[in-house]
Protein backbone atom coordinates (compact mmCIF):
# COMPACT_ATOMS: atom_id res chain seq x y z
CA UNK A 1 0.00 0.00 0.00
CA UNK A 2 2.83 2.41 0.90
CA UNK A 3 4.57 1.63 -2.41
CA UNK A 4 1.37 2.34 -4.34
CA UNK A 5 0.87 5.71 -2.63
CA UNK A 6 4.54 6.61 -3.14
CA UNK A 7 4.30 5.64 -6.81
CA UNK A 8 1.18 7.77 -7.31
CA UNK A 9 2.85 10.72 -5.60
CA UNK A 10 5.90 10.41 -7.88
CA UNK A 11 3.74 10.24 -11.00
CA UNK A 12 1.68 13.24 -9.86
CA UNK A 13 4.80 15.30 -9.14
CA UNK A 14 6.24 14.43 -12.56
CA UNK A 15 3.13 15.66 -14.38
CA UNK A 16 2.81 18.85 -12.34
CA UNK A 17 6.45 19.71 -13.03
CA UNK A 18 6.40 18.74 -16.71
CA UNK A 19 5.46 22.21 -17.89
CA UNK A 20 7.02 23.49 -21.08
CA UNK A 21 9.76 26.09 -20.73
CA UNK A 22 10.06 27.02 -24.43
CA UNK A 23 7.76 27.15 -27.41
CA UNK A 24 8.33 24.50 -30.07
CA UNK A 25 6.53 23.50 -33.24
CA UNK A 26 6.52 19.76 -33.97
CA UNK A 27 4.88 17.33 -36.35
CA UNK A 28 3.20 15.58 -33.41
CA UNK A 29 1.45 18.47 -31.68
CA UNK A 30 2.09 21.69 -33.57
CA UNK A 31 2.84 24.72 -31.40
CA UNK A 32 3.37 24.43 -27.66
CA UNK A 33 0.17 25.51 -25.89
CA UNK A 34 1.85 27.71 -23.26
CA UNK A 35 5.07 27.97 -21.29
CA UNK A 36 5.73 28.54 -17.60
CA UNK A 37 8.72 30.60 -16.55
CA UNK A 38 10.05 30.46 -12.99
CA UNK A 39 10.99 33.76 -11.34
CA UNK A 40 12.56 32.85 -8.03
CA UNK A 41 11.83 35.03 -5.00
CA UNK A 42 9.27 37.23 -6.78
CA UNK A 43 5.68 37.48 -5.55
CA UNK A 44 2.68 37.55 -7.87
CA UNK A 45 2.16 41.32 -7.30
CA UNK A 46 5.85 42.00 -8.07
CA UNK A 47 5.68 39.94 -11.28
CA UNK A 48 2.40 41.60 -12.32
CA UNK A 49 3.90 45.07 -11.86
CA UNK A 50 6.98 44.12 -13.90
CA UNK A 51 4.79 42.70 -16.70
CA UNK A 52 2.93 46.01 -16.96
CA UNK A 53 6.22 47.94 -16.94
CA UNK A 54 7.64 45.65 -19.65
CA UNK A 55 4.62 46.21 -21.88
CA UNK A 56 4.92 49.98 -21.42
CA UNK A 57 8.59 49.90 -22.45
CA UNK A 58 8.30 47.27 -25.22
CA UNK A 59 5.24 48.43 -27.16
CA UNK A 60 4.75 51.74 -28.96
CA UNK A 61 1.17 52.33 -27.69
CA UNK A 62 0.94 50.34 -24.45
CA UNK A 63 -2.50 51.64 -23.51
CA UNK A 64 -3.87 50.33 -26.82
CA UNK A 65 -2.18 46.91 -26.68
CA UNK A 66 -3.33 46.03 -23.15
CA UNK A 67 -6.71 44.40 -23.70
CA UNK A 68 -7.57 43.18 -20.22
CA UNK A 69 -6.12 42.96 -16.74
CA UNK A 70 -6.98 41.60 -13.33
CA UNK A 71 -4.53 43.15 -10.90
CA UNK A 72 -1.94 40.69 -9.57
CA UNK A 73 -3.49 37.81 -11.61
CA UNK A 74 -3.16 38.32 -15.36
CA UNK A 75 -2.59 40.68 -18.27
CA UNK A 76 -3.81 40.10 -21.82
CA UNK A 77 -2.20 42.14 -24.58
CA UNK A 78 -2.08 42.25 -28.37
CA UNK A 79 1.02 42.49 -30.50
CA UNK A 80 1.54 43.12 -34.19
CA UNK A 81 4.36 42.27 -36.58
CA UNK A 82 4.97 42.77 -40.28
CA UNK A 83 7.65 40.05 -40.32
CA UNK A 84 6.54 37.33 -37.89
CA UNK A 85 4.63 35.11 -40.32
CA UNK A 86 6.27 34.20 -43.57
CA UNK A 87 5.67 31.59 -46.22
CA UNK A 88 7.71 30.27 -49.09
CA UNK A 89 6.42 31.09 -52.57
CA UNK A 90 9.40 31.74 -54.85
CA UNK A 91 11.23 33.13 -51.82
CA UNK A 92 10.29 34.36 -48.37
CA UNK A 93 7.06 36.38 -48.29
CA UNK A 94 5.53 38.06 -45.24
CA UNK A 95 1.98 38.64 -44.08
CA UNK A 96 1.05 41.05 -41.29
CA UNK A 97 0.34 39.19 -38.06
CA UNK A 98 -1.64 40.00 -34.91
CA UNK A 99 -1.35 37.91 -31.78
CA UNK A 100 -2.75 37.95 -28.27
CA UNK A 101 -0.79 36.80 -25.25
CA UNK A 102 -2.09 36.23 -21.77
CA UNK A 103 0.38 36.42 -18.89
CA UNK A 104 -0.95 34.79 -15.70
CA UNK A 105 1.10 35.34 -12.56
CA UNK A 106 1.61 33.33 -9.38
CA UNK A 107 4.24 33.59 -6.68
CA UNK A 108 7.56 32.51 -8.18
CA UNK A 109 6.35 31.98 -11.77
CA UNK A 110 4.24 33.19 -14.68
CA UNK A 111 2.46 31.53 -17.57
CA UNK A 112 3.00 32.92 -21.07
CA UNK A 113 0.07 31.80 -23.21
CA UNK A 114 -0.38 32.55 -26.92
CA UNK A 115 -4.18 32.67 -27.10
CA UNK A 116 -4.75 34.11 -30.56
CA UNK A 117 -2.74 34.23 -33.79
CA UNK A 118 -4.09 35.90 -36.93
CA UNK A 119 -2.68 36.70 -40.35
CA UNK A 120 -3.93 39.34 -42.76
CA UNK A 121 -5.05 37.45 -45.85
CA UNK A 122 -5.94 40.04 -48.49
CA UNK A 123 -8.12 42.41 -46.46
CA UNK A 124 -9.38 40.06 -43.72
CA UNK A 125 -7.79 38.94 -40.45
CA UNK A 126 -7.90 35.14 -40.34
CA UNK A 127 -7.28 32.89 -37.31
CA UNK A 128 -4.34 30.63 -38.00
CA UNK A 129 -5.09 27.57 -35.93
CA UNK A 130 -1.69 25.89 -36.08
CA UNK A 131 -0.19 28.39 -33.64
CA UNK A 132 -2.82 29.05 -31.00
CA UNK A 133 -4.85 25.84 -30.78
CA UNK A 134 -3.73 22.30 -30.13
CA UNK A 135 -3.40 20.65 -33.55
CA UNK A 136 -4.04 17.04 -34.33
CA UNK A 137 -1.34 15.05 -36.08
CA UNK A 138 -3.77 14.50 -38.98
CA UNK A 139 -4.33 18.27 -39.40
CA UNK A 140 -0.60 18.90 -39.25
CA UNK A 141 0.09 16.21 -41.86
CA UNK A 142 -2.55 17.70 -44.17
CA UNK A 143 -1.58 21.34 -43.79
CA UNK A 144 2.01 21.68 -42.63
CA UNK A 145 4.13 18.51 -42.76
CA UNK A 146 4.99 15.98 -45.47
CA UNK A 147 4.59 12.27 -44.75
CA UNK A 148 8.34 12.01 -44.07
CA UNK A 149 8.03 14.56 -41.21
CA UNK A 150 9.63 17.48 -43.04
CA UNK A 151 7.84 20.81 -43.38
CA UNK A 152 6.00 21.42 -46.64
CA UNK A 153 7.90 23.90 -48.80
CA UNK A 154 5.53 26.83 -48.22
CA UNK A 155 5.78 26.23 -44.44
CA UNK A 156 9.57 26.12 -44.27
CA UNK A 157 9.73 29.30 -42.17
CA UNK A 158 7.27 28.13 -39.49
CA UNK A 159 10.09 27.32 -37.08
CA UNK A 160 10.78 31.07 -36.82
CA UNK A 161 7.46 31.59 -35.03
CA UNK A 162 8.30 29.71 -31.80
CA UNK A 163 11.66 31.50 -31.80
CA UNK A 164 9.89 34.87 -31.97
CA UNK A 165 7.73 34.05 -28.93
CA UNK A 166 10.66 32.52 -27.02
CA UNK A 167 12.59 35.76 -27.57
CA UNK A 168 9.59 37.82 -26.45
CA UNK A 169 9.30 35.69 -23.31
CA UNK A 170 13.05 35.97 -22.69
CA UNK A 171 12.78 39.76 -22.86
CA UNK A 172 9.89 39.68 -20.38
CA UNK A 173 11.72 37.29 -18.03
CA UNK A 174 14.88 39.43 -18.05
CA UNK A 175 12.79 42.52 -17.31
CA UNK A 176 11.08 40.81 -14.37
CA UNK A 177 14.30 39.66 -12.69
CA UNK A 178 16.20 42.89 -13.38
CA UNK A 179 16.39 45.45 -10.61
CA UNK A 180 17.91 48.08 -12.88
CA UNK A 181 15.65 50.87 -14.01
CA UNK A 182 16.10 52.26 -17.52
CA UNK A 183 16.74 55.76 -16.15
CA UNK A 184 19.59 54.57 -13.86
CA UNK A 185 22.14 54.42 -16.68
CA UNK A 186 21.84 57.88 -18.14
Amino acid sequence: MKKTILGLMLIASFYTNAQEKEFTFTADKGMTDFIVTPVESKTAPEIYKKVIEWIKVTFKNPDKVILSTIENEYVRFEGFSETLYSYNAKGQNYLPTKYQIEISVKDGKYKFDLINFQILASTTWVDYKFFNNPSSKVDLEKGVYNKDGSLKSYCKYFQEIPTYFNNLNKSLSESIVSNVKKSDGW
Side-chain angles (χ1 to χ4, degrees), residues 94-144:
Y94 295 96
L95 290 176
T97 309
K98 284 194 307 188
Y99 55 86
Q100 287 184 17
I101 294 173
E102 188 171 285
I103 307 293
S104 302
V105 300
K106 290 186 177 183
D107 290 342
K109 63 185 173 181
Y110 67 88
K111 180 171 94 170
F112 188 105
D113 192 0
L114 177 62
I115 59 172
N116 196 349
F117 189 95
Q118 296 180 319
I119 57 173
L120 185 62
S122 258
T123 58
T124 306
W125 288 102
V126 178
D127 284 334
Y128 208 71
K129 67 180 180 177
F130 294 115
F131 298 107
N132 62 315
N133 292 317
S135 300
S136 73
K137 190 168 182 162
V138 172
D139 287 342
L140 289 165
E141 286 175 353
K142 285 181 185 175
V144 179

Side-chain angles (χ1 to χ4, degrees), residues 78-96:
E78 183 171 73
F80 176 84
S81 175
E82 291 281 349
T83 58
L84 170 57
Y85 177 86
S86 62
Y87 62 95
N88 184 38
K90 295 183 181 179
Q92 191 169 14
N93 297 279
Y94 295 96
L95 290 176

